[in-house]
Amino acid sequence: MSGADEAQTGGFLPSEIDTTRPSIARVYDAFVGGKDNFEVDREVYRQILQIAPEAADTGRLCRAWLIRVVRFLAGEGGITQFLDLGSGLPTAENTHQAAQRVNPEARVVYVDNDPVVAAHGRALLEENDRTRFVAGDLRHPATLLADPVISTHLDLSQPIALIHSNTLHHVPDEDRPGEAMSTYVDALASGSYLAISHLHMPEPDNEHHALAQEAQGKFLHLMGSCIFRTREQIAGFFDGVELVEPGLGYLFDWWPDGPQDTPPARGDHLLLGGVGRKP
């Protein structure tokens, strides 16, 4: 099967790129300084900058956390296969590049439902024969895990790393993200890891609570999806795995590469992340 054929196997792929509505993947691309976005996506970015001028730095913080997590998983975690759900558009550094620097034999499958991401996913196949892309919906784990590209490229009977980097806060409660995560965790082999980063709604007496509420309102108005969840709600997505140190916390506290020269920005306190291992 050719790379282009594999990239379209499983899940669904919208036939056209809608430039009149913001895309989650393209908005994140704008946040990290990418070029694969349209004016409607940049407008969301500008609106968020009005209430959180440090938002661009926070976007880069998310990517830096993901790369540190992948390095840990490919190194100390001993993981050789990765399933990155809602992977978004390629940036300066991606999951397969971080993993393969530690272990050149590492295999990666990216999943996303955005047609722009799919185009880039097909390009990744051409440059790296240990990387695959699937157009699919992470809200339907049973269908996704049965996809022939995933089941062929990854051995789900062996440990894998399942990555949800900034995805679950775009899944509303009515779509039952907790049930989806239970299905994913149940399907993981012993020794697998689960990595999640998620927008956080602090307690009402927290100094960052008002910013979280305002940012959530902006995202919901402009994009129609973005749920800031409490620490307890986010922790619930890790049911069935054991969190590794330092547990569920701010992204800037998760195995930083070195001392922080400046204090974290306000927006940096609106994201929690963690990594858990399935016993």
Side-chain angles (χ1 to χ4, degrees), residues 88-146:
L89 286 157
T91 64
E93 189 164 23
N94 303 285
T95 297
H96 74 281
Q97 293 160 329
Q100 290 171 1
R101 265 200 302 275
V102 179
N103 178 1
E105 300 302 309
R107 299 189 303 278
V108 178
V109 175
Y110 294 105
V111 176
D112 209 289
N113 64 356
D114 188 292
V116 176
V117 178
H120 283 276
R122 287 191 287 272
L124 287 177
L125 301 183
E126 296 177 0
E127 71 177 38
N128 193 291
D129 63 1
R130 303 188 73 79
T131 300
R132 297 290 185 274
F133 178 85
V134 171
D137 190 332
L138 60 84
R139 295 173 298 176
H140 304 297
T143 300
L144 194 59
L145 293 173

Side-chain angles (χ1 to χ4, degrees), residues 258-273:
Q260 297 179 9
D261 296 330
T262 57
R266 295 179 308 153
D268 297 351
H269 292 86
L270 303 186
L271 282 151
L272 296 182

Side-chain angles (χ1 to χ4, degrees), residues 59-268:
R60 288 188 284 270
L61 169 78
C62 296
R63 177 58 56 163
W65 171 84
L66 172 62
I67 298 307
R68 295 198 306 275
V69 165
V70 172
R71 288 203 310 259
F72 161 75
L73 294 172
E76 185 174 328
I79 296 297
T80 62
Q81 41 184 10
F82 296 77
L83 181 57
D84 189 343
L85 301 183
S87 54
L89 286 157
T91 64
E93 189 164 23
N94 303 285
T95 297
H96 74 281
Q97 293 160 329
Q100 290 171 1
R101 265 200 302 275
V102 179
N103 178 1
E105 300 302 309
R107 299 189 303 278
V108 178
V109 175
Y110 294 105
V111 176
D112 209 289
N113 64 356
D114 188 292
V116 176
V117 178
H120 283 276
R122 287 191 287 272
L124 287 177
L125 301 183
E126 296 177 0
E127 71 177 38
N128 193 291
D129 63 1
R130 303 188 73 79
T131 300
R132 297 290 185 274
F133 178 85
V134 171
D137 190 332
L138 60 84
R139 295 173 298 176
H140 304 297
T143 300
L144 194 59
L145 293 173
D147 185 278
V149 173
I150 293 176
S151 60
T152 300
H153 194 60
L154 303 180
D155 181 356
L156 299 181
S157 71
Q158 298 298 314
I160 72 167
L162 179 66
I163 298 171
H164 277 275
S165 179
N166 287 5
T167 59
L168 291 171
H169 48 242
H170 292 292
V171 181
D173 291 341
E174 55 264 32
D175 285 344
R176 301 177 179 177
E179 292 183 18
M181 289 310 303
S182 293
T183 301
Y184 280 121
V185 172
D186 287 346
L188 296 178
S190 175
S192 294
Y193 284 86
L194 170 65
I196 298 173
S197 60
H198 197 295
L199 285 168
H200 172 224
M201 179 63 72
E203 296 296 324
D205 59 352
N206 186 286
E207 62 179 311
H208 304 293
H209 179 77
L211 176 61
Q213 285 193 311
E214 188 175 6
Q216 177 178 250
K218 281 280 188 183
F219 275 121
L220 287 172
H221 172 70
L222 294 166
M223 299 182 63
S225 70
C226 203
I227 307 300
F228 286 57
R229 292 188 169 98
T230 66
R231 175 179 290 271
E232 291 72 22
Q233 289 173 321
I234 299 169
F237 294 138
F238 287 96
D239 285 350
V241 301
E242 299 173 350
L243 284 166
V244 302
E245 292 297 331
L248 179 63
Y250 297 126
L251 303 190
F252 55 78
D253 280 335
W254 202 95
W255 286 34
D257 287 328
Q260 297 179 9
D261 296 330
T262 57
R266 295 179 308 153
D268 297 351

